[in-house]
Amino acid sequence: MADVVIAGGGPAGATLALLLGRAGLSVELYEAKKFPREKPCGEGIMPAGVAVLERHGLRAAVGGRPLASVRYHGFGLTAEAGFPVRADGSAPVVLGQRRWALDQTLLTTARTTPGVRVFEEAPVEGAAVEGGRAIGLRVGGELRRGGLVVGADGLESPVRRSLDLESRGREDRRVGVRMHYRLAAGRSEPSRLEIFVGRGYELYAAPLPYNELLLAALGDWDALGSSAREAMDRWIGEQPRLREWLDGATPLTRLAGRAPVTRRARAGFAPGAVLLGDAARATDPLTAGGIAHALVTAERLAAVIPRALAEGDAPIARFDRERRRLLRAHDWLTRALVFLVDRPLLARATMRGMRATPRLMSALLGIGGGVAIQPPAPARASVTAAISAAPALPASSATDQNATLSQRAGSA
């Protein structure tokens, strides 16, 4: 029996697995897909997530394109600001990186970590419960026992459903889609995270390595209409600067997505089990915090699990409360922005306010990017202490791997 069994090999599950393995625990991770694989995603790693990668020796392996600021366009106005400096005085950045490259790097690092076993193409059917307590995962009709069960299996989490933790709230009608492009040679390209706000939609342009660009769109289900591609083309046509960047660009991927973008569990844990990442809470990606939140909460959970294995569920309950407290300001900001983008007059007034007070805009970006979030003391004292002796992908390997993936996308 493993100390911990994890459903899901995305950023949350893979990061948790490798950190627990470095801390000396035995881990089994079950992932439904075969990596590398495409996944609709905003592909921006906000500063709090970049800081986690840095603390655990993973940033060079992940690679990505550093972006130091965010610029909003909307209703004839633009507003730009950088992120506030971190507590140690360093300048935070966003990383733009293809999701399959991030996932493959983290899962490969987990696989090569002593104590961690990774199983791909192993769909999890749910948690196995006996006497009101999770005792393992059901995988291919078999029981895989673990001292603690972790559901990091995404928005439609089978683990969450099996634990009866589904929220009964109203379904959100906001959806997202995305495409990738390779920009034409010699064409001017964005050097920051660019966000275009229009009537009923938001477009996110994230520069990526190898002259690639992610373009993601968010909006109400009705705004996409019967054809998401036609809606995307129409919205691009309303943004002159975006049209200029995409002039002569080569599409690399088909438009993908259109699923609801938010989900929240009724509770983030149950006896013997805990949810992580989107399985626990997926807020509207308008502030692009999903990957960062997965990395931050995986790090914090890794610091808690050794005590939970020794003491029972109380440390997991405390972790869930701390997670809600940690992300409260971000949730408030996200709800406020979603409210604004549906009200053009208020949105325009907000844009003017951000232009007039760059420091305020920077502070809001800091909330969205989690700049102020510090690592948990147990992580610094225990998990992080193992980094110097832990194997990691060399930066050159990740660079070669990501280049190969990029070439594969170009030929698809």
Side-chain angles (χ1 to χ4, degrees):
M1 183 176 75
D3 292 318
V4 180
V5 289
I6 301 173
T15 300
L16 178 65
L18 71 90
L19 292 181
L20 293 178
R22 291 178 178 185
L25 299 182
S26 62
V27 181
E28 292 181 2
L29 184 151
Y30 297 91
E31 165 56 41
K33 302 294 185 180
K34 178 71 175 178
F35 281 30
R37 55 92 171 95
E38 280 281 12
K39 184 177 178 63
C41 178
E43 298 187 335
I45 310 173
M46 299 298 275
V50 176
V52 173
L53 298 176
E54 291 172 344
R55 284 195 288 272
H56 299 287
L58 297 165
R59 178 173 170 178
V62 167
R65 182 169 174 179
L67 308 169
S69 66
V70 178
R71 182 163 59 182
Y72 282 83
H73 310 256
F75 312 107
L77 300 170
T78 62
E80 179 181 0
F83 293 90
V85 298
R86 295 188 285 205
D88 61 4
S90 61
V93 297
V94 175
L95 287 179
Q97 179 58 294
R98 290 292 291 267
R99 175 62 186 268
W100 62 2
L102 170 68
D103 286 356
Q104 180 72 356
T105 300
L106 293 177
L107 196 68
T108 299
T109 307
R111 192 194 309 276
T112 57
T113 301
V116 178
R117 300 176 68 198
V118 173
F119 302 87
E120 294 179 82
E121 297 181 290
V124 170
E125 293 135 22
V129 179
E130 287 185 3
R133 183 174 186 82
I135 61 168
L137 293 171
R138 295 284 181 188
V139 186
E142 297 183 2
L143 172 61
R144 306 293 186 177
R145 290 183 177 270
L148 180 71
V149 173
V150 179
D153 46 348
L155 280 167
E156 302 299 329
S157 168
V159 172
R160 183 181 63 233
R161 288 198 301 271
S162 67
L163 295 171
D164 193 28
L165 295 177
E166 292 278 22
S167 174
R168 307 297 196 273
R170 180 177 61 87
E171 183 179 352
D172 194 336
R173 292 183 58 81
R174 294 259 296 173
V175 296
V177 294
R178 68 95 181 98
M179 283 187 67
H180 296 91
Y181 297 86
R182 178 168 288 116
L183 301 181
R187 178 71 57 184
S188 63
E189 59 181 296
S191 58
R192 54 184 68 79
L193 182 62
E194 307 274 359
I195 301 174
F196 299 84
V197 182
R199 292 183 181 274
Y201 69 89
E202 306 92 55
L203 293 174
Y204 294 77
L208 303 170
Y210 313 111
N211 204 37
E212 295 179 4
L213 182 76
L214 165 81
L215 186 62
L218 287 171
D220 188 88
W221 179 275
D222 295 332
L224 289 174
S226 59
S227 171
R229 184 55 195 265
E230 290 180 3
M232 178 79 95
D233 290 342
R234 183 174 66 255
W235 296 338
I236 292 172
E238 294 174 1
Q239 304 295 340
R241 185 160 299 187
L242 187 56
R243 289 202 313 270
E244 178 185 350
W245 290 329
L246 295 179
D247 185 20
T250 303
L252 297 178
T253 58
R254 297 177 180 178
L255 194 70
R258 197 158 183 158
V261 293
T262 63
R263 188 65 61 86
R264 182 159 301 195
R266 181 170 53 82
F269 73 102
V274 61
L275 302 178
L276 187 64
D278 285 350
R281 58 181 306 285
T283 57
D284 193 289
L286 188 148
T287 47
I291 293 175
H293 293 164
L295 297 173
V296 167
T297 53
E299 179 187 54
R300 288 178 176 262
L301 183 57
V304 167
I305 284 178
R307 180 172 293 178
L309 292 173
E311 300 177 7
D313 297 328
I316 296 298
R318 289 195 295 271
F319 159 78
D320 192 42
R321 291 194 297 270
E322 170 67 9
R323 172 169 53 187
R324 292 197 300 270
R325 186 201 64 77
L326 186 72
L327 301 177
R328 188 175 298 138
H330 176 272
D331 290 350
W332 171 86
L333 177 63
T334 300
R335 288 194 298 270
L337 291 177
V338 170
F339 177 84
L340 286 172
V341 296
D342 285 336
R343 293 160 177 82
L345 292 178
L346 286 176
R348 185 177 176 84
T350 301
M351 288 279 290
R352 284 184 175 137
M354 290 194 298
R355 285 183 53 162
T357 55
R359 290 181 64 181
L360 174 60
M361 181 177 174
S362 180
L364 294 176
L365 291 176
I367 294 173
V371 172
I373 295 176
Q374 297 300 309
R380 295 193 299 269
S382 58
V383 179
T384 308
I387 294 174
S388 59
L393 284 175
S396 58
S397 296
T399 301
D400 294 342
Q401 167 188 279
N402 295 350
T404 300
L405 294 172
S406 179
Q407 291 165 6
R408 183 182 304 171
S411 62

